[in-house]
Amino acid sequence: MKRIVVRYESGASSVALMEDGRLAEFFVEQPAEGERAGNIYKGRVVNVLPGMQAAFVDIGLRKNAFLYIDDLLPVHLEKKPKVKPSITELVREGQEILVQVRKEPLGTKGARVTTHFTLPGRWLVLLPHADYVAVSRKIESEPERTRLKQIGMQIKPPGDGIIIRTVAENECQESLQKDMAILGDIWAGLERRAAVAEAPALLYRDLGMIPRLVRDLFSDSVEELVIDDGRSANEIGAQICAMAPELQDRVKVYEGPEPVLQHYGIEEQLERAYRRKIWLENGAYLVIDPTEALTVIDVNTGKYTGTVDLEQTVFETNMEAAEEIARLLRLRDMGGMVIVDFIDMAEERHRRLVTDKLETCMKKDRTKVQVVGWTKLGLVEITRKKVRPALDELLTESCSHCGGTGRAPIKHRPGHA
């Protein structure tokens, strides 16, 4: 059973996705300036760096955005040049250019931008100038993939591309065609505004957090969407009525005496998920240490002693750990490189089953994630696309006493006054 729970609070709303009673994804509204990933700007190139094959673009934010050459070259493989040119052949200082934010500003870094535009709808994603049709890899039926691709070829505008989303599986051509018409109108309007706007200028803003997540998460597999604010429930109901009227009756208003996140046990699960040491159901535990460059996860048998032999005990621990790691990566929205130190296994078959388990569990993740495999040191390397700050950066802050190390200095050491 899937349930979406929304806590509405002006400037600090949150959305939780629960699967079979367990918290799977959690989102909080960004600070007052809002999220920028997905926004499209008319910017001005302020600096071109041939040595980095990159340019900095003023899009009106505090820090200039970073544009890498690969985000300037055509997205269609057949249109890419065989030899990568210098970025100075593609852009120049002072040039006005349309760009889309693909990665939020993080720490001291400005936003990462691209000219490979994406406009997401309910069933489709429009890719202006891409000129191809793709079907979500999570749709596994080959006849259905073929049917959807044929529809995509018929409805896409000439020269543009589309991605057919997972929720479009078994959907009729009419629904996809309506979605395509809406997205086409949005892009046409954006181009008209771009022709007259002075850079830097915001031309397109993606939906706010709650309507965007309703668009992306709410489907026939969700049994109910619970929200603690009647007015917002009406707005969401209107959105769903236009998007999928048959699901409108699944929107419920929560009117209980305790806060909605507390009622569904979300606050407790969230607190447990952000501990450094996380216990598994069998008595084993994980230790999670985020660093600037990567996140390290250590697996330990803890209290679990098994029943057969050491190899089987280790294997069972690693299998349960793999499932929990996949859930935590998604829940905590950890991005970048992740290194997992599973307990050493003697049998190659067991190592293969552990990576298979990771890959299977990560299919639920809507963010691009890849299990790279085992390193020579016996560690598992995982990469996960980083678009926004990890959830812990929004929910927590570094300790003022230890400075984020997790260790405080000893006040009175032997031999010191």
Side-chain angles (χ1 to χ4, degrees):
M1 172 185 177
K2 287 186 180 181
R3 174 187 286 122
I4 297 174
V5 179
V6 180
R7 183 198 68 183
Y8 180 81
E9 188 176 341
S10 181
S13 299
S14 55
V15 178
L17 172 65
M18 305 190 74
E19 296 175 347
D20 298 322
R22 297 192 77 195
L23 188 59
E25 296 184 42
F26 189 80
F27 307 88
V28 296
E29 203 165 41
Q30 289 278 50
E33 60 265 24
E35 295 184 358
R36 303 181 189 89
N39 291 354
I40 298 177
Y41 296 83
K42 184 176 185 178
R44 180 178 289 106
V45 178
V46 295
N47 201 3
V48 180
L49 306 173
M52 294 178 63
Q53 285 286 64
F56 285 97
V57 183
D58 178 11
I59 59 174
L61 304 183
R62 282 177 293 180
K63 293 182 180 295
N64 291 330
F66 182 82
L67 176 64
Y68 186 59
I69 189 171
D70 286 355
D71 289 306
L72 273 168
L73 295 173
V75 66
H76 199 297
L77 290 175
E78 294 179 3
K79 296 182 179 180
K80 285 184 182 290
K82 294 181 179 179
V83 178
K84 189 178 293 187
S86 169
I87 193 166
T88 56
E89 299 176 36
L90 304 176
V91 291
R92 65 183 187 281
E93 289 185 14
Q95 179 180 341
E96 293 186 345
I97 185 173
L98 292 188
V99 292
Q100 184 171 33
V101 176
R102 61 177 295 188
K103 187 181 291 187
E104 293 276 353
L106 300 171
T108 59
K109 299 177 181 178
R112 174 83 178 266
V113 294
T114 181
T115 60
H116 303 161
F117 304 104
T118 59
L119 289 179
R122 170 63 172 169
W123 313 111
L124 311 171
V125 179
L126 174 62
L127 311 173
H129 314 311
D131 199 20
Y132 69 85
V133 175
V135 179
S136 168
R137 293 178 182 176
K138 294 183 180 180
I139 299 177
E140 297 180 350
S141 166
E142 282 304 321
E144 178 63 4
R145 292 180 64 85
T146 301
R147 182 186 78 89
L148 290 172
K149 191 155 189 176
Q150 288 173 346
I151 292 174
M153 294 299 294
Q154 294 172 25
I155 67 174
K156 83 174 186 69
D160 292 338
I162 58 173
I163 297 173
I164 300 176
R165 307 182 72 170
T166 308
V167 290
E169 188 170 12
N170 300 319
E171 193 57 44
C172 67
Q173 180 169 342
E174 183 182 3
S175 296
L176 272 62
Q177 207 153 6
K178 286 181 179 178
D179 211 24
M180 183 69 259
I182 293 170
L183 295 174
D185 288 345
I186 291 173
W187 179 251
L190 186 152
E191 288 187 307
R192 287 193 297 269
R193 291 191 297 276
V196 297
E198 291 187 12
L202 173 63
L203 301 176
Y204 166 82
R205 186 189 297 276
D206 198 5
L207 294 175
M209 182 191 72
I210 293 176
R212 185 184 73 247
L213 291 173
V214 169
R215 178 195 69 197
D216 294 345
L217 297 176
F218 196 62
S219 65
D220 190 54
S221 63
V222 176
E223 294 195 13
E224 62 178 9
L225 187 155
V226 181
I227 183 167
D228 64 352
D229 180 75
R231 180 178 175 181
S232 298
N234 290 335
E235 293 174 358
I236 290 175
Q239 179 187 355
I240 292 172
C241 184
M243 184 179 74
E246 70 280 5
L247 304 179
Q248 192 177 8
D249 61 350
R250 301 190 188 186
V251 179
K252 315 289 184 185
V253 179
Y254 175 76
E255 298 176 332
E258 58 186 356
V260 65
L261 298 186
Q262 184 178 335
H263 176 78
Y264 287 101
I266 293 168
E267 289 183 347
E268 183 183 353
Q269 290 193 46
L270 198 60
E271 190 276 328
R272 283 203 306 267
Y274 274 89
R275 293 173 184 169
R276 179 174 179 263
K277 186 176 183 178
I278 296 176
W279 289 94
L280 305 180
E281 291 184 4
N282 67 357
Y285 66 89
L286 309 175
V287 175
I288 302 178
D289 286 312
T291 73
E292 187 72 21
L294 50 83
T295 299
V296 180
I297 303 177
D298 187 36
V299 182
N300 300 274
T301 52
K303 302 173 185 176
Y304 182 60
T305 56
T307 57
V308 182
D309 56 34
L310 178 60
E311 175 68 14
Q312 187 65 24
T313 299
V314 167
F315 170 64
E316 290 173 358
T317 300
N318 286 339
M319 288 290 280
E320 184 165 342
E323 184 174 353
E324 183 68 358
I325 287 167
R327 186 181 79 95
L328 290 171
L329 287 180
R330 183 179 168 204
L331 174 56
R332 293 171 59 151
D333 199 15
M334 290 185 275
M337 188 162 60
V338 179
I339 299 295
V340 184
D341 185 8
F342 285 104
I343 307 168
D344 290 340
M345 293 173 287
E347 295 186 24
E348 179 61 31
R349 178 176 65 92
H350 285 166
R351 288 158 62 99
R352 215 167 37 245
L353 288 171
V354 168
T355 50
D356 288 347
K357 182 73 170 180
L358 273 173
E359 290 172 346
T360 300
C361 294
M362 287 175 178
K363 287 182 179 179
K364 297 178 181 178
D365 200 329
R366 295 181 303 118
T367 299
K368 184 178 180 181
V369 59
Q370 180 182 6
V371 180
V372 180
W374 296 85
T375 70
K376 292 180 179 179
L377 296 176
L379 309 171
V380 172
E381 184 180 349
I382 302 168
T383 61
R384 189 173 185 272
K385 187 176 180 181
K386 191 176 183 72
V387 177
R388 299 175 176 86
L391 197 55
D392 62 345
E393 296 177 38
L394 300 175
L395 298 178
T396 64
E397 59 183 16
S398 294
C399 170
S400 60
H401 294 281
C402 70
T405 65
R407 301 175 68 86
I410 299 173
K411 292 182 179 179
H412 300 290
R413 288 182 292 167
H416 289 74

